[in-house]
Every structure is written in C-alpha cells, then in structure tokens.
Amino acid sequence: MTTQIKKRPRVPVHGVLLLDKPVGFSSNDALIKAKRFLNAMKAGHTGTLDPFAAGLLPLCFGEATKFSQDLLEADKTYTTVVHLGVTTTTGDTEGEVLEQKPVNVTLSAIEQVLKQFTGPIQQVPPMYSALKRDGKPLYEYARAGVTLEREARDVTIHELGLLDYQAPLLTLRVKCSKGTYVRVLGEDIGAVLGCGAHLKELRRIQVGHLVLEKSITLESLESMPEQERLALLDPVDALLSSFPPVRLSDELATRFLHGQRLALGKEAVSLPEQAGRVRVYRDSDGQLLGSAQLQEFQILAPERLINTQ
C-alpha cells in the first residue's frame, strides 16, 4: 500500500520579496517556486518579465497583493544589449532570424538616434506579447502565423543612456514609463540606424523605488532555512513608501477600517500640505491600515484597507 505524503498547509505570509528572476523562467513559474519556498497562501507578481529577460521581479504576498497595482503603474529601469544587424520574429533571442545586414554604424550616429527616442514616443505593441484581442493573447495569433493591426501607444523614455558599443552589440540603460516594450525600442533603434536589431539581453534593475541590489535569487532562497526566507520580506508598506503617512487615533482608525470617510479638519492629525494619495497608520501601535486619498477640505477617503485581524 502506497503511503501518501501529506502536504504542509499553506500559512498567511504578508510582505514583499524582491526576486532576481533568472533567464528561462516565466514570471509565473518564478512566483510559484517562491510561493512554495515560503509556504505562502496568497501571492502575486507585479508586472511580467519575459522568459528571456532577467532581473528584478517584486513578489507580493498576502495583504501586499492589494497594492501590487502600484508597481504595475511605476516607471521601470533596464539594462539591455541590442544586437544590431539581425532581426528576429520576436524581437529577441527566442525568435527565428528574419534578416541579417552588415553593421556600419558610427558612435555619433547612435548618439543622435538615441536622442530621437528620448522623451514621449509612440510604440506599436509587438505581436509576441500578452496583450489580448477578443480574449486571446496576441502571441497565440503570432504563433499561428496571423498578424493583426495594432494601434500605436504613447509611452515615455525618461532616460536612454549609452553604456557601451562594441559592434554589433550596443549596451543601453533605459528608464521608461509603464507599457513600454524594450524589445520594440531596440527594433525601432535598429530600423532607424538602417541595419535592424533585436535584443540579445534584457535585465530589469529597478521598479519604482525598488532596486535589484536588494533582491535574492531562487537558488539562494531555496538553500535557506524557512525563517531566514521569511526575514527577507519587506513589510507591506514598502510598496507605499513614496506616499506621505497619516497617523490616526484608535477611534479614527476604527472608523477608517469600517470604510468611513473622515473629516480631519478639526482633529489633531498631522496632514500633508498637498491633497493626494497617503498611507494610513494607527498611531498607538504603528499598524498599517491601508491607503487613502486626502481630498479637499481635509477629507480622508479610504482606498485599500489592510486586514488587521
């Protein structure tokens, strides 16, 4: 008779893990592994990295998943190696080669082209992407040999720095807005240079204020005792640190957690000068209560609330 090994029950885990995703893993595969290592009940990632890409993948656990949207909206920073002279079906190393051209490109020509792609630009999303049309990802159409019309989208390249050029390889640092495809940026740069291009490497080094230097690899995570893994988690409010704090009395905190809008004009609460998004704490114990919008006339409107039980 076969003895079945009982699985350990998942436990509530709350916080943010900065993972250095390896090449060859989908973001979801990396999430599943990390979730298993932490024995966590609930987890989600904050923006997909393609399997061929590596680098910073913030993972949210438990209550932190309520704020993962903020990182989806945040600016991202990458380093990338653009292979000039070779175009592929996917715009990266995973695709089949479409065309090869000689690379006779000067450094000054590259610098001029990079200026053209700095600031607000338009991009046509690639067919090999997870964007959906009629409920089906574009990459499924692409794999079936179908090409669909796609509208250009407005994105912003905040910084486009030249790190190295050893023909045919061009190394860049890119800081960009949400929705930017660095693959498309590489292809477009190659097209303007007249030789075509695809991405040889892509590494994400920053998401919002979160940086790769504080991340950990899956291999290191797996080799640790469980308590050391849990100690790596940043608190939930690490995702909200760019917003000013508001601290409430116990009575106001209770009303806030019940979803009530609070008129704070006559309360002894220190408030930021500007209206906008804030993070809210209970003053007596420092417990994060959630996020809110500070509106006109010092009205505090609850947004996303933490389960404090």
Side-chain angles (χ1 to χ4, degrees):
M1 187 173 179
T2 304
T3 303
Q4 289 190 340
I5 300 174
K6 287 186 177 181
K7 291 184 178 180
R8 284 195 305 159
R10 301 281 186 175
V11 297
V13 173
H14 307 288
V16 182
L17 180 71
L18 303 185
L19 185 71
D20 184 354
K21 186 191 85 68
V23 172
F25 275 74
S26 72
S27 294
N28 198 52
D29 288 341
L31 172 67
I32 290 170
K33 273 188 169 290
K35 183 179 177 183
R36 187 173 75 246
F37 293 153
L38 292 171
N39 198 34
M41 290 176 65
K42 184 179 181 182
H45 62 70
T46 55
T48 301
L49 270 180
D50 291 336
F52 102 98
L56 183 58
L57 183 67
L59 303 179
C60 296
F61 294 87
E63 291 296 296
T65 59
K66 294 177 178 178
F67 306 99
S68 59
Q69 183 66 32
D70 299 303
L71 291 186
L72 293 174
E73 304 286 329
D75 291 340
K76 316 290 193 301
T77 305
Y78 302 85
T79 56
T80 185
V81 178
V82 182
H83 189 152
L84 300 177
V86 180
T87 56
T88 71
T89 52
T90 59
D92 57 36
T93 56
E94 296 192 318
E96 297 177 5
V97 173
L98 288 173
E99 189 176 17
Q100 297 190 55
K101 290 183 178 181
V103 179
N104 300 306
V105 179
T106 65
L107 191 59
S108 61
I110 290 171
E111 290 170 342
Q112 288 302 312
V113 169
L114 295 186
K115 289 178 183 177
Q116 295 178 35
F117 285 95
T118 304
I121 64 170
Q122 287 198 319
Q123 282 192 337
V124 176
M127 279 301 300
Y128 281 90
S129 69
L131 291 177
K132 291 188 176 180
R133 181 77 58 85
D134 298 327
K136 189 162 73 170
L138 290 182
Y139 62 76
E140 290 190 12
Y141 292 99
R143 288 170 181 167
V146 177
T147 300
L148 302 176
E149 289 291 323
R150 288 99 63 208
E151 288 188 6
R153 305 197 306 184
D154 295 323
V155 298
T156 302
I157 308 300
H158 300 292
E159 298 174 16
L160 186 53
L162 175 61
L163 300 181
D164 188 47
Y165 178 49
Q166 303 291 330
L169 301 181
L170 173 63
T171 306
L172 304 173
R173 184 180 189 274
V174 183
K175 182 178 180 181
C176 53
S177 66
K178 69 168 185 174
T180 302
Y181 287 93
V182 182
R183 277 182 293 145
V184 173
L185 180 64
E187 288 180 307
D188 289 347
I189 289 170
V192 174
L193 288 171
C195 59
H198 72 280
L199 292 198
K200 184 175 187 291
E201 297 175 14
L202 181 64
R203 186 160 176 78
R204 189 158 67 191
I205 60 174
Q206 189 164 348
V207 178
H209 62 280
L210 305 176
V211 295
L212 180 64
E213 287 80 3
K214 296 184 178 180
S215 66
I216 188 168
T217 64
L218 284 171
E219 292 82 2
S220 296
L221 194 64
E222 184 175 18
S223 67
M224 288 180 173
E226 187 168 306
Q227 287 306 310
E228 287 186 24
R229 295 172 187 164
L230 293 172
L232 291 170
L233 290 174
D234 288 330
V236 173
D237 60 357
L239 299 178
L240 302 172
S241 62
S242 61
F243 304 114
V246 170
R247 305 184 186 281
L248 302 177
S249 66
D250 287 2
E251 178 189 349
L252 290 173
T254 299
R255 290 170 55 194
F256 179 82
L257 287 172
H258 287 157
Q260 295 180 23
R261 287 158 51 92
L262 305 178
L264 300 179
K266 295 183 179 180
E267 302 288 346
V269 177
S270 177
L271 297 173
E273 292 183 4
Q274 301 294 325
R277 197 157 184 229
V278 296
R279 50 194 164 112
V280 183
Y281 298 86
R282 185 165 49 217
D283 195 32
S284 59
D285 61 1
Q287 169 70 50
L288 176 69
L289 307 179
S291 63
Q293 290 290 336
L294 182 62
Q295 301 174 338
E296 283 187 301
F297 309 112
Q298 298 181 320
I299 301 295
L300 189 70
E303 192 179 53
R304 298 176 198 148
L305 303 178
I306 290 288
N307 181 359
T308 60
Q309 300 301 316

